[in-house]
Amino acid sequence: SHFYSHLFSVFLKFDFSFFCFWFHLTKACPNLHFGTNCEKKCECINGANCDPVTGECICSEGWFGKNCNQPCPHGHFGHNCIQLCQCEQGDCDQKTGQCKCYPGFSGALCDRKCPEGKHGPDCQNICHCQNNATCNHINGECICPSGWSGEFCKESCSLKNRWGSNCLNECECFNGGVCHPVTGECQW
């Protein structure tokens, strides 16, 4: 019985001294300091913290590298930049992964073209195309149907004595005939 009480006493001393040693090593150091007495200065940047014992940098989201001096490479985000961006037509925030869509696209993953009649950043701009012209979802440029021209496709080719796509064909009507703006057929 005396043997066990002595053994227990030794164990408590060992356990308590280990606890004191562990507590001494893991005590909180002021920000950007580490070591036994917090005497060493961390070399971490961009909002990173450092391990109070080793001084190893613990990078904040969106950064990596020994000193947390490198932003996540394109297509990556988050803690240690290990998460992959899911944005299809846009860039993602290096910290959160939230998509910022390129002009002409929308949706949480930038996977949808702007709806007909809209264009530009966040699909906020209204298209001004006329006469069934198609609006480019990125820049709003009008793609005129055959027989029409101009910035908004509101000018008939026949007014220029021309016809066809982009009014490229010259009319060949005589005796006061006017070309049909789409087919070029003479009309009186």
Side-chain angles (χ1 to χ4, degrees):
S1 147
H2 176 66
F3 172 76
Y4 289 113
S5 67
H6 179 68
L7 184 63
F8 185 69
S9 172
V10 169
F11 177 74
L12 279 177
K13 287 178 185 172
F14 174 76
D15 191 47
F16 183 72
S17 64
F18 176 76
F19 175 75
C20 289
F21 175 73
W22 178 81
F23 180 76
H24 184 70
L25 285 179
T26 58
K27 70 180 181 182
C29 288
N31 197 19
L32 297 177
H33 285 81
F34 73 101
T36 307
N37 294 312
C38 302
E39 75 280 2
K40 297 178 184 174
K41 185 154 174 52
C42 298
E43 296 181 17
C44 308
I45 59 174
N46 294 313
N49 292 316
C50 72
D51 185 280
V53 176
T54 66
E56 182 179 326
C57 295
I58 303 164
C59 300
S60 55
E61 292 183 339
W63 299 94
F64 77 107
K66 184 178 181 203
N67 303 97
C68 304
N69 61 338
Q70 299 175 39
C72 289
H74 183 74
H76 292 80
F77 73 98
H79 185 68
N80 290 325
C81 305
I82 59 172
Q83 293 179 290
L84 293 175
C85 294
Q86 302 296 317
C87 310
E88 291 186 24
Q89 294 293 327
D91 293 319
C92 76
D93 183 275
Q94 69 185 34
K95 293 178 183 178
T96 66
Q98 183 175 6
C99 297
K100 170 98 173 92
C101 299
Y102 299 142
F105 294 91
S106 66
L109 300 178
C110 303
D111 56 349
R112 293 191 306 257
K113 280 185 178 181
C114 290
E116 188 63 39
K118 299 276 190 164
H119 73 91
D122 299 320
C123 301
Q124 294 297 309
N125 300 331
I126 297 172
C127 294
H128 297 287
C129 304
Q130 298 178 15
N131 297 307
N132 294 320
T134 304
C135 177
N136 181 294
H137 67 284
I138 296 170
N139 60 20
E141 183 178 301
C142 299
I143 302 160
C144 301
S146 187
W148 297 94
S149 68
E151 184 180 5
F152 301 115
C153 304
K154 61 183 182 178
E155 300 167 18
S156 174
C157 292
S158 60
L159 297 176
K160 300 175 185 179
N161 203 29
R162 303 189 82 70
W163 65 277
S165 180
N166 293 320
C167 303
L168 292 177
N169 304 308
E170 191 171 337
C171 238
E172 296 182 11
C173 297
F174 301 101
N175 299 325
V178 177
C179 276
H180 186 277
V182 177
T183 64
E185 190 176 306
C186 296
Q187 301 172 334
W188 286 270

